[in-house]
Every structure is written in structure tokens, then in C-alpha cells.
Amino acid sequence: MRKINKFPELWFLVGGLILLVGVFLADHLLNRYLVHILILMGIYSITTVSLNLTNGYTGLFSLGHAAFMAIGAYTSTLLAFPIALREAYELPLLPSFLGGPEYSWPFFPALVAGGLLASIAALLIGAPVLRLRGHYLSVASLGFMVIVTTFAKTLRGITRGSMGINAIPSYTNIYWTYLWLFISVYVVWRIVNSRFGRAMLAIREDETAAQALGIYPMKYKLLSFAVGAFFAGVAGGLYAHFTKAIRPFEFSFFLTFQIVTMLIIGGMGTTSGPIVGAASLIALRYALKPVEEGLQIYGLIELIYATLLIVIMLWKPEGIMGKRHSRMS
Amino acid sequence: MTYFILEVEDLWKSFGGLTAVSGYQLKLPPDSVYGLIGPNGAGKTTIFNLISGIIKPTRGKIIFKGKDITFWRPDQVVALGLTRTFQNLRLFSSLTVEMNLKIASHLHARCNFWSSLFSFPSFFREEREIKKRVDYILEVFDLVPYREEVSSNLPYGLQRKLDIARALMTKPQLVLLDEPSAGMNTQEAEDLAELIRRIKEEFQLTLIIVEHRMSLVMGLAEVVQVIDYGSVIAMGSPEEVQNDPQVIEAYLGTGDVVA
């Protein structure tokens, strides 16, 4: 054990290589349906891992995560959309500072740009909203999500409004997805194990005490919010180039609810919890799909998600991967 | 002119209509131990909150190490070397003892975001230094066996100790101890007094102690200020203060019995 604890960086590298081999094998051995499910698990895992940084480690219970995904999805789509199809789909050509009308961005930088824009939005919205605590923050972040989806609906010249954007090239594959999942897990893990993450934990536990020990809470709240938003933005971009169509209403309360449910069921503030939560709920969804269709009870899956959430909250509030602290006092 | 590490001039604080602190004064020489006593609700904790920057005064001035810190944020005040403990123990309760201490090393960690992210050698060097300091503090406070224990699982007396230990991780020169012996039995309180004496020497601290337990204040403090209704009603050595008629009145009421 000691040895492993001493060089966790090395183990991360080994883990990355094993992941690469796993992804390669999955890509070549599994059928397309299973690969499709794996990609979806990966994308949702990125969102839960990033949400875990703000909600789990920093204790800021934000419900605006879908908004950051929307920003990333729209940004990367608009940047990387093929030039030839732009006119047919009534999408604007790029202005000169983004490369001009003759240019469309490669996938990777487009994803990064989507993430960065989501981060900037997080900083702008975070400065006022993160002053709030507890429920107030949750409700205010929900308001932010409404603002973003409203923009997506009304800025017709850019987003095509509520019709959404179709025929998005399917750039997302299992390699991109799991590369980004690996990056997000690595970044969150590094942050949590440095003084930055310790400051975030301190804020979660007791903001006043944290400040009395020399931590300026706003700085670390913004950092966690912006990093979380970055990966949510990237996940949004991956999602857009996976489903090949995005509409404003997709990035609404329902999506946030799903992500939050996955995080809570997996275990907030744990390393593996978010991935376990995302993967198991997606697996459950696809396992139940035939049942739902066979019984013709549509909405059964959502019903089971919600029930599962209540059950977990009642009997294992720390989530599947969470450790329970036995309190003596 | 004598140097004072902390000077408080004419400090006032009112919450709505209630005046909690009214014209509090203090000139604190370095390397001293001052005690702050007074009946419940006299404004002692409010004075601590004002000095440490958690709340802002209505009027008055606080000067620490020659700098006017009256309207500084708490984290800025700590960075200058003034820290405090809390009466109602604000430990990071779901984290381990070690983590509580590590968090408090924050001020002296200089590693930037990117070198932490890519684990540059400077990151490891700094983490090793932090661990060394944690080891040392754990040793001084006899908390070594509890390193991995979740802090809320510790017995109450040890939680109090951890609170002081955590404050010392910030390398302060002046520490405000808010009722350090609250909830302890007599034996624990005696051990605590001994510990406070020891850390004062070891870390060359100046201390202000708010305390209800007379024996502790009288044994530790060189000068005692008695607070009532937010201002100083008496000040002097423990013996002087104990025999001051005004003090006795504040604590016990006047001799006139109203039947």
C-alpha cells in the first residue's frame, strides 16, 4: 500500500495505458450498440466528474451544470460545423477573428474553445452567485440555466432558435470521449490533492474557519466553478458531436437532474463515485429500455431513477462509493 | 515609545439597536498573555470577531504590527500573523486530523496552479515541507496517534487541542483563544493551561484568552481586562482585578438586595 501511495502519478500513467488498451479492444471487439453505450457513459462521466468538483468537494450545490454543457455544445458545434453545409442549415459563417468564412475549426480546439467559453461564463455568473450559500446558490444557478437556454432559443441568427442544429458531423468517438474522461479525472484528482483542493474542502466544511485560516473563499469557489464548467463545456461539445443534433430544451432541468442524480448515487466527494454513478445509471437505462417498450410504460426509466435517488438518500446518503463516517458525538 | 503588537482604539459595534461593543480599548505589548473576562453576553467574542476581521466595526481602529487592519478580510489578517480559535469549535469535521492541519498550511504554500496540476518537483518539495510541519505540530500537541482519525470522532478535549494546533499551522505571532477550556473537566483544563504555557514559549506567541474558568485565566494571564456591556470596566493583574468592587458587582450584582 505504502508504495502505491508514494507514486500515484505513476499509477495514473499505468491506468491511462490500461484504459487505452481497453478502449481499443472495446472499439474492435464490441458491436456498435455497445460502443454507443460506452461513449454515452464516458460523456456522462465527464459531466459528473466535473460536477463533483463544485458540488462534492467545494460544497457548492450548483444546479446549473446543463447550462455549461449547452454553452460548450453550441460553441464547438458552431466552430467546427462544415463550411459547405452552413448555408443549407442557415448557420452563420465564422467572423474574421475566429478564422473567417473560409474556415471551420478542427474538433479538438473547438471542444477546448467550448470549455473555455463555459469557464468564462462560470466566472461571470459566479462572481455574484457564489456569494450565496446553500439553497440560495442552487436556485440562483438554476436561474442561470434558464437564461442560457432562453438565449439559445432567441438568438435565432446564431443558434437557429428552438429548431436546434442538425447534421452535426459525428466527430465524437470512443477515443476522444475516454481521452477527455481521463483528462478530467486527472485534473480533478490533482486539484483535490493540492492546496487548491484542500482550500475547497475547507470551504465545504466551514467557510468561516477556512477564512480565519487564511483562505479567501471566493477565489477557490470561482476556481472550482470555472474548472467544473470547463469540463462540462467539453462534455457538451462531445455530446453535440455524438448525437449529431442539439436543441435548446435538451439542456434543461431534466439533464441537470440526471447528472445530479448520477453524482449523488455514485457518491459525492469521492474519486470513483461520479463514474460509477454515471456508468450504472446509463447501464440501467439501456437494460430497462426493452422492458419499457415491452410493457409500453413510457417514463418507467425516469420513475426508477427518481425512486433510486430517494432510496439512496434514505439508506446510503453518502452514495455507492462513499464512506460513512461513524460519528461518536 | 513602547511598541505594541496590537492596538485597539475606541472600538464600537452595534447590531441594529443593540450595542455589543462600546469604546473598547487595548494596548497589547508583544510576548504577553492577556485575559479577557466578563459575564455572558458582555461582548468578548464580538471583540474577537472584530479583531480577526470576521465582522466589521461601526467605529474605531485596530492596528496590528503597525498596520491598520480595521477593515481587512479575515484571510488578510491571518496572513499578517494574527489568528484565532473558535468558542464553538469550527473544525473541518468530516476530515482527518492530518487534513485539518494540512489545510491550515495554505498561507505558506506557494506552489502555483500549473505546477500542482502537472506535479512538478516544486510541488513535492512543498508537500514534504507541509508534512514536516504537520508532524511537528502533531508531536507538540500529542496528537500523533490520532493523525488518521476523522476530527469529529475525537473526544471533545482533543478537538479543542486540534483547534489550537490548526491555528498554529498558520505561523501566527498573536493568537486569540476563545474559551479554550470550554467543556473540559478540571484535569483537562489544567493540562490545557500547561500546554498553552508550553506553546507560548515554543512558538513565541502573544496571546489573548477569553475564558470563563477563572483558575485558567488567573494562572496564565499577566494582565486581565474585565468587560461588561462592551467596554473595559477594570484592568490589572489577576489579583487586583479579583478584588475590584466593580468586578464583583458585575459578576455577582450589588450588595443591595431587592426583596
Side-chain angles (χ1 to χ4, degrees), chain A residues 257 260-262 264-265 304-314:
Chain A
F257 174 73
V260 171
T261 308
M262 286 170 177
I264 291 174
I265 289 178
I304 288 176
Y305 273 20
T307 316
L308 210 58
L309 182 65
I310 295 170
V311 168
I312 285 276
M313 294 283 241
L314 282 175

Side-chain angles (χ1 to χ4, degrees), chain A residues 67-87:
Chain A
F68 298 127
M69 287 182 73
I71 293 172
Y74 274 97
T75 308
S76 60
T77 302
L78 288 167
L79 287 174
F81 206 77
I83 314 157
L85 293 176
R86 280 188 192 245
E87 210 190 331

Side-chain angles (χ1 to χ4, degrees), chain A residues 200-221:
Chain A
M200 290 169 190
L201 287 175
I203 292 165
R204 179 188 78 189
E205 296 288 311
D206 190 321
E207 203 174 319
T208 308
Q211 201 168 10
L213 293 168
I215 293 161
Y216 181 39
M218 199 43 159
K219 188 175 156 192
Y220 296 95
K221 285 184 183 180

Side-chain angles (χ1 to χ4, degrees), chain B residues 42-54:
Chain B
K44 304 180 299 286
T45 297
T46 309
I47 291 171
F48 269 18
N49 284 342
L50 287 167
I51 296 175
S52 58
I54 288 174

Side-chain angles (χ1 to χ4, degrees), chain A residues 9 186 190 193 195-196 198 201-202 204-206 208-209 211-216 220 325-328, chain B residues 73-75 78 83 90 92-94 99 103 106 109 111 113 116-117 119 123-124 127 130 152-153 166:
Chain A
E9 283 76 14
Y186 175 80
R190 286 307 311 154
N193 284 290
R195 72 183 174 100
F196 299 94
R198 288 198 293 263
L201 287 175
R204 179 188 78 189
E205 296 288 311
D206 190 321
T208 308
Q211 201 168 10
L213 293 168
I215 293 161
Y216 181 39
Y220 296 95
H325 300 301
S326 52
R327 278 163 203 273
M328 296 200 316
Chain B
R73 292 194 312 262
D75 50 288
V78 193
T83 191
R90 290 172 167 274
F92 303 129
S93 51
S94 76
M99 200 48 152
I103 286 170
H106 184 84
C111 224
F113 185 67
S116 305
L117 201 56
S119 23
F123 172 80
F124 291 109
E127 289 295 306
I130 291 171
S152 60
N153 286 350
R166 193 177 63 167

Side-chain angles (χ1 to χ4, degrees), chain A residues 265-312:
Chain A
I265 289 178
M268 281 205 284
T270 61
T271 315
S272 54
I275 299 172
V276 170
S280 52
L281 285 203
I282 296 283
L284 192 67
R285 150 158 310 207
Y286 280 90
L288 287 175
K289 220 167 196 167
V291 180
E292 194 182 54
E293 272 154 20
L295 296 172
Q296 298 216 319
I297 313 174
Y298 296 104
L300 177 72
I301 295 167
E302 278 67 39
L303 213 64
I304 288 176
Y305 273 20
T307 316
L308 210 58
L309 182 65
I310 295 170
V311 168
I312 285 276

